Amino acid sequence: MRLADLRGRSVAVWGTGREGRAAVTAIAKHEPSRLIAVDDSANYLSTPWEDEFAALAPLAGGEHAQAALYTADVVVRSPGVPLTHPYLTELRARGVTVTGGSALWMAENAAKTVGVTGSKGKSTTSSLISHLLAAVGKPNAYGGNIGIPLLDLPESDLYVLELSSYQCADLTDSPRVAVVTSLFPEHLDSHGSEQAYYRDKLNLLRYGPELIVVNAEDSRLRDEIRGLTDSSGFPPVPAAAEDSRFRVEDGVVFCSDEPLFARSALELKGRHNERNLCVALAVLDGMGVDVVGLRDDLEAAVRSFRGLPHRLAEIEDPSGVTFVDDTLSTSPYSAMHAIEAYADRPLTVLVGGTDRGLDYTPLRSFLESRTLTVIGLPDSGPRIISEISDLPGVRTLVAEDLVDAVRLAREVTPAGGVVLLSPAAPSYGRFRNFEHRSEVFTQAVHDTAK
């Protein structure tokens, strides 16, 4: 479905945040017969619906929300509306078309888009792809889940997008280049089950992209995409595995048998970021960039690339201990990647947040052969600690809150060691968002410095 298909139809935009505002603005230009914004949250009155948007789409909230959705021809769902919402089942039973702003945008722009998704690594990989393309003379517009709704993107000849599972779920067009960085259970409360999450995530690949690039080191991803090919029958391009065209060997990044540059050119820590780099280079290669011939330009671009906020971001401290803000680590798998990145130093890890019932068995297995200290934070911290407390190399403590955890970490972490906030859980119940959790952590580090 394209934006032009909404002309003369009754449209309800479900959600009034950044994505909802972008959808209202874009749809209003196409003259629907009715356009209404819907906020079914209990506190809808506390969210301002500015006059400029109200003039385009009046707001239906509270007891009016359900009727506004059910009487629409088309509902444009914001990514924040969970795919398990009971209204969605009823909407489909009534024959109401449900789509999303990302799907409407992709229907118009798929042919000039690189779309990147993944349970971990999609932000870093998409921003790295955008950065490297610009460095070799391919300017592009960058956006998506990273912060700019697709419907707010400027006109461009090339787009690079980070796409969440919520955005991928609605797509009925695949981008020309589809990229998947990793796959593990995440956001199960919003998708309903592990398999539903994988289905929604990999929907990015289902509509004939010209090129698919995947991280071949991820065995679960390899298993889930087995048999998924584009309409021409070409299999996904693997990257980062030992037998891949793009890989890291002995501290050198290779393209087939050609050494490109030292792995140390990439400032970002961790093997997972090596894999992200290999995936990005495979994308450029698949798009026709002469990666070997332009290796010097690409090396310079890699050296200038900086990590994104809240992803293994180090905080200087006079004690000699390195504090690391990895607050965007909201799953056990991403915490495992972070721990691996600092495996050569004494390590204290702060874990815990909103308890969404995640399975921490993989984290336990990962820690069985490691020596470190783990401090549990509310609410899920004590449950995580109970999973790992009997491991011989793991010392466990429980903190009252994040500030208390920083204080405890200072007491038990030797100079030269690392205190890693990689919580393996979201914390929106106790913080406004992940940025707020980062602010509290950083402030606690400064306040407890000696």
Side-chain angles (χ1 to χ4, degrees):
M1 173 173 283
R2 296 172 179 264
L3 283 165
D5 297 330
L6 301 179
R7 188 181 306 276
R9 305 181 76 179
S10 172
V11 181
V13 173
W14 191 359
T16 57
R18 186 166 46 195
E19 292 276 352
R21 286 167 162 77
V24 163
T25 302
I27 293 167
K29 298 173 184 176
H30 292 271
E31 300 179 2
S33 63
R34 182 191 74 160
L35 179 59
I36 192 165
V38 178
D39 184 347
D40 67 318
S41 64
N43 60 342
Y44 77 97
L45 290 175
S46 66
T47 303
W49 188 239
E50 293 89 345
D51 290 344
E52 61 184 294
F53 298 107
L56 301 174
L59 178 64
E63 62 184 14
H64 303 292
Q66 186 178 37
L69 292 170
Y70 288 176
T71 56
D73 298 323
V74 179
V75 169
V76 179
R77 180 188 69 88
S78 294
V81 176
L83 293 159
T84 54
H85 198 295
Y87 288 178
L88 286 172
T89 301
E90 180 63 22
L91 284 168
R92 293 187 173 105
R94 290 170 176 255
V96 177
T97 299
V98 179
T99 186
S102 298
L104 292 169
W105 183 93
M106 191 69 75
E108 308 277 356
N109 297 285
K112 50 184 179 178
T113 297
V114 179
V116 184
T117 196
S119 303
K120 175 74 175 178
K122 61 183 179 293
S123 300
T124 297
T125 304
S126 58
S127 59
L128 185 53
I129 291 169
S130 175
H131 181 72
L132 296 181
L133 284 170
V136 296
K138 292 185 178 293
N140 57 90
Y142 179 53
N145 188 58
I146 196 71
I148 303 175
L150 273 58
L151 289 171
D152 276 346
L153 287 172
E155 286 295 321
S156 178
D157 293 330
L158 179 63
Y159 296 94
V160 179
L161 307 178
E162 179 202 339
L163 298 170
S164 70
S165 54
Y166 312 124
Q167 292 169 306
C168 290
D170 292 324
L171 298 181
T172 53
D173 300 86
S174 289
R176 176 189 165 204
V177 180
V179 184
V180 189
T181 61
S182 62
L183 198 65
F184 52 74
E186 183 74 297
H187 305 303
L188 302 189
D189 53 336
S190 293
H191 291 269
S193 69
E194 185 173 325
Q195 282 308 124
Y197 169 70
Y198 296 160
R199 177 201 66 214
D200 293 337
K201 195 75 158 170
L202 297 179
N203 192 48
L204 182 76
L205 312 180
R206 298 188 188 280
Y207 302 99
E210 291 182 16
L211 173 68
I212 298 172
V213 178
V214 299
N215 167 21
E217 276 284 276
D218 190 315
S219 58
R220 181 182 286 104
L221 174 56
R222 292 200 312 268
D223 291 343
E224 290 293 330
I225 66 170
R226 187 169 287 128
L228 272 178
T229 61
D230 68 14
S231 58
S232 301
F234 293 107
V237 173
E242 289 182 0
D243 57 350
S244 297
R245 177 170 164 82
F246 290 93
R247 64 199 184 281
V248 176
E249 290 181 5
D250 300 323
V252 177
V253 182
F254 278 86
C255 172
S256 296
D257 295 329
E258 288 282 345
L260 296 178
F261 44 79
R263 187 299 184 205
S264 59
L266 181 66
E267 180 183 87
L268 309 187
K269 294 182 178 295
R271 290 190 62 241
H272 63 293
N273 281 317
E274 292 179 6
R275 295 189 284 267
N276 293 338
L277 174 60
C278 290
V279 169
L281 290 170
V283 169
L284 266 68
D285 182 60
M287 293 176 67
V289 174
D290 181 3
V291 172
V292 175
L294 294 170
R295 73 181 89 191
D296 292 342
D297 295 322
L298 289 169
E299 178 180 0
V302 169
R303 289 189 181 280
S304 68
F305 182 75
R306 297 293 175 262
L308 299 172
H310 319 301
R311 295 165 174 83
L312 296 182
E314 296 186 355
I315 303 170
E316 293 184 7
D317 190 79
S319 68
V321 172
T322 301
F323 289 82
V324 181
D325 172 14
D326 193 42
T327 188
L328 274 176
S329 166
T330 58
S331 78
Y333 296 92
S334 53
M336 288 153 55
H337 289 152
I339 292 167
E340 184 181 53
Y342 291 94
D344 59 340
R345 296 172 65 180
L347 184 60
T348 300
V349 186
L350 314 185
V351 300
T354 299
D355 195 340
R356 290 183 174 174
L358 293 176
D359 179 11
Y360 288 101
T361 304
L363 180 62
R364 174 187 169 83
S365 299
F366 176 78
L367 295 178
E368 283 180 350
S369 59
R370 298 178 183 268
T371 301
L372 74 167
T373 299
V374 180
I375 300 177
L377 302 162
D379 296 316
S380 60
R383 184 166 74 85
I384 299 172
I385 294 297
S386 70
E387 290 268 358
I388 63 175
S389 59
D390 62 333
L391 296 179
V394 179
R395 177 184 182 183
T396 57
L397 300 167
V398 175
E400 294 179 0
D401 53 31
L402 183 51
V403 176
D404 185 43
V406 171
R407 180 186 60 77
L408 286 173
R410 282 197 179 278
E411 294 176 0
V412 302
T413 308
V418 173
V419 175
L420 172 64
L421 173 63
S422 194
S427 271
Y428 300 151
R430 291 183 173 249
F431 301 92
R432 293 190 300 274
N433 47 39
F434 66 84
E435 288 99 338
H436 183 213
R437 177 162 63 181
S438 174
E439 290 170 7
V440 172
F441 175 67
T442 302
Q443 190 62 50
V445 171
H446 294 323
D447 289 347
T448 58
K450 296 180 180 178

